[in-house]
Amino acid sequence: MKTIDSRSAHALVEQGALLVDIRDPDEHARERIPGACCIPLARLGSAPELATAQGRALVFHCRSGTRTRTNASILCAAAGDCDAYVVEGGLDAWKQAGLPVERDPRAPLELMRQVQIAAGSLALAGTVLAATASPWFMLVPGMVGLGLLLAGVTGFCGMAHLLARMPWNRSRAA
C-alpha cells in the first residue's frame, strides 16, 4: 500500500480518485473531508462503493493514519486492482495542511470517547467516595475495570450499547 501526503491525496481526489474514510459513522459525522465516503473497516469487504470504483484510484484515510497503516492488508484486498493509497497522518495531517474539512458541532462525541469519559468518571467518583465516605465504593471502579476487561476480551461493550441509546446519540442515527 502506497503512502502519500495530504496535498498529494487532495490532488488525486481532484483528478477523480475515490476518497474513503474508514472511521466509524459517528466519527465521520462529527468531522470529515468533503466528498469522502464513509466505509468503516468492518464493511470494506462488502461495500458497493468500492465495486463501482474500478479504474479509479482509491485514497484511504482515518483520523491519524494509525488505523490505515495497521489495516493496510485489508485495505489492499478491498482495493482489488485499483491503485490504492493511504493518507499519511490521516485527517489530522489533512487539517494541518490547511485543506478543507467539514465539521458538525451538533454531532455528539464519538461513541468510544463517550465510553472513555463515562468509565473514567465512574472510576474516579468511586475512588473519591471510597476514600472519603465508605470503602464499599471501591466496588464502583472495580466493576468499571471488569466491564472494560470483558469488553476487550469479548468485543462487546455494554456501556457503548447503553450510550448509543441515549437521546443525544439517537437523534443523529435516524
Side-chain angles (χ1 to χ4, degrees):
M1 176 78 50
K2 298 171 238 167
T3 303
I4 57 173
D5 64 76
S6 51
R7 292 212 177 273
S8 299
H10 185 260
L12 278 174
V13 171
E14 292 287 312
Q15 296 169 12
L18 179 63
L19 183 61
V20 180
D21 185 346
I22 66 164
R23 300 174 304 149
D24 289 332
D26 60 332
E27 296 173 274
H28 182 82
R30 188 164 182 83
E31 186 174 46
R32 65 200 156 278
I33 297 171
C37 63
C38 180
I39 308 174
L41 275 173
R43 258 190 3 105
L44 272 177
S46 62
E49 300 92 336
L50 295 182
T52 61
Q54 294 303 322
R56 293 172 69 186
L58 296 175
V59 179
F60 295 99
H61 84 86
C62 61
R63 186 186 56 79
S64 67
T66 303
R67 270 181 274 188
T68 50
R69 273 193 316 274
T70 304
N71 296 287
S73 60
I74 295 170
L75 301 177
C76 260
D81 293 334
C82 295
D83 286 336
Y85 304 88
V86 169
V87 179
E88 173 104 28
L91 178 63
D92 292 343
W94 187 278
K95 291 188 298 188
Q96 285 177 345
L99 296 168
V101 173
E102 294 175 345
R103 291 181 183 86
D104 184 356
R106 295 170 295 133
L109 287 175
E110 296 87 2
L111 195 54
M112 287 318 299
R113 283 186 61 195
Q114 292 180 44
V115 168
Q116 292 166 341
I117 291 167
S121 298
L122 286 170
L124 179 61
T127 303
V128 168
L129 287 169
T132 59
S134 168
W136 284 100
F137 281 106
M138 280 307 289
L139 288 172
V140 174
M143 294 305 286
V144 169
L146 178 62
L148 292 172
L149 176 67
L150 289 174
V153 171
T154 65
F156 174 81
C157 180
M159 188 179 292
H161 284 276
L162 177 67
L163 286 169
R165 288 181 169 80
M166 292 293 120
W168 59 87
N169 289 322
R170 281 187 292 147
S171 64
R172 298 290 303 171

